Amino acid sequence: MPHPQIAPSILSFPADDYRSAVRELAAAGVDWIHLDVMDGQFVPPITFGADLAKALHQLVPTPIEAHLMTLTPALHFDAFIEAGCKRVIFHTEATDHAHLLCLQLRKRGILAGVAINPGTPVETLYPMLDVMDLALVMTVNPGWGGQSLITECLDKVSKLREWRPDLEIEVDGGIDADSIAMAQAAGANVFVSGSYLTRTPTIGYGVAQLKRACAG
Ligand code: DX5
Ligand code: ZN
């Protein structure tokens, strides 16, 4: 199983000061910065686009990934790749061409991630096993931070781990210093965490707690 990685989301930090949060996350040694891109269509909220991704990418050396919660993922690939995203994750519910989109991302040297909602069966990802670099299993319904992890979604993680032992498997939603262990036990190795890091005394402290909890 690939080694654990912490990929905090900036979604729950104050939108007028994402820069401070990103600097603190980078200083805390996170593996990735996770950017939640919402278009007001695939999910009701609208967050931000590639301009912000670019500005944040220029701020710190930590790699950034785009989680596209958008109805038209392929339309946004160019902008987020040009903004510096090394991994682009799109939702399989948003396209009939998930396999092709993985190939398109890989062709451009970008890690291809495919996300599934809690209501989507894990079998949907089976045909992409050889063309995706990462599967993102949503452990809450997408759109909002601060929800509780839906434990049933972790069965999908176990199935994916069985299918492809070397796959990067990311869990997103309701991950804190307690639930991270459960997600890791199911087979996940990339952990998005958002609102938890706004509740800890400092971002650095929260990241250390997450790292400790999944260090084994
Ligand atoms: C939800 C987003 C998540 C979310 C995580 O649609 O994809 O990245 O912000 O936030 P928490 O950790 O608060 O569930
Ligand atoms: Zn996300």
Side-chain angles (χ1 to χ4, degrees):
M1 169 154 140
H3 66 90
Q5 296 170 30
I6 307 294
S9 161
I10 61 168
L11 184 66
S12 291
F13 293 111
D16 62 353
D17 195 18
Y18 282 143
R19 282 174 176 75
S20 301
V22 165
R23 282 198 195 94
E24 282 185 59
L25 289 168
V30 303
D31 300 285
W32 289 87
I33 307 267
H34 178 91
L35 300 180
D36 285 305
V37 180
M38 304 186 188
D39 66 351
Q41 301 291 318
F42 185 76
V43 289
I46 298 175
T47 54
F48 47 77
D51 287 350
L52 184 77
K54 187 174 184 178
L56 298 178
H57 169 62
Q58 287 168 348
L59 205 61
V60 293
T62 310
I64 59 172
E65 63 179 14
H67 175 194
L68 300 179
M69 284 161 275
T70 66
L71 266 192
T72 52
L75 278 188
H76 312 303
F77 284 176
D78 280 350
F80 284 92
I81 293 170
E82 279 156 27
C85 294
K86 293 283 169 287
R87 186 151 72 194
V88 173
I89 303 152
F90 63 88
H91 271 262
T92 185
E93 298 86 358
T95 176
D96 289 328
H97 300 287
H99 190 281
L100 176 68
L101 298 196
C102 287
L103 295 178
Q104 287 177 355
L105 287 168
R106 279 187 161 185
K107 201 171 166 190
R108 304 197 50 185
I110 300 299
L111 295 168
V114 187
I116 49 169
N117 285 337
T120 302
V122 67
E123 285 73 19
T124 309
L125 291 177
Y126 195 83
M128 267 79 71
L129 277 185
D130 289 335
V131 293
M132 66 183 174
D133 299 292
L134 172 139
L136 186 156
V137 175
M138 288 300 305
T139 40
V140 298
N141 284 295
W144 301 272
Q147 306 175 73
S148 301
L149 181 144
I150 303 166
T151 48
E152 288 75 16
C153 296
L154 296 178
D155 294 343
K156 295 193 249 184
V157 171
S158 306
K159 187 56 84 178
L160 284 163
R161 181 58 67 216
E162 221 176 280
W163 286 340
R164 220 188 111 181
D166 65 324
L167 183 66
E168 305 278 359
I169 304 179
E170 184 165 30
V171 280
D172 186 359
I175 299 294
D176 58 25
D178 293 323
S179 60
I180 194 170
M182 198 170 38
Q184 186 179 35
N189 73 295
V190 186
F191 306 98
V192 178
S193 186
S195 57
Y196 168 68
L197 294 171
T198 67
R199 296 193 301 268
T200 51
T202 62
I203 289 176
Y205 178 86
V207 170
Q209 293 295 102
L210 291 171
K211 282 188 185 176
R212 187 168 315 137
C214 68

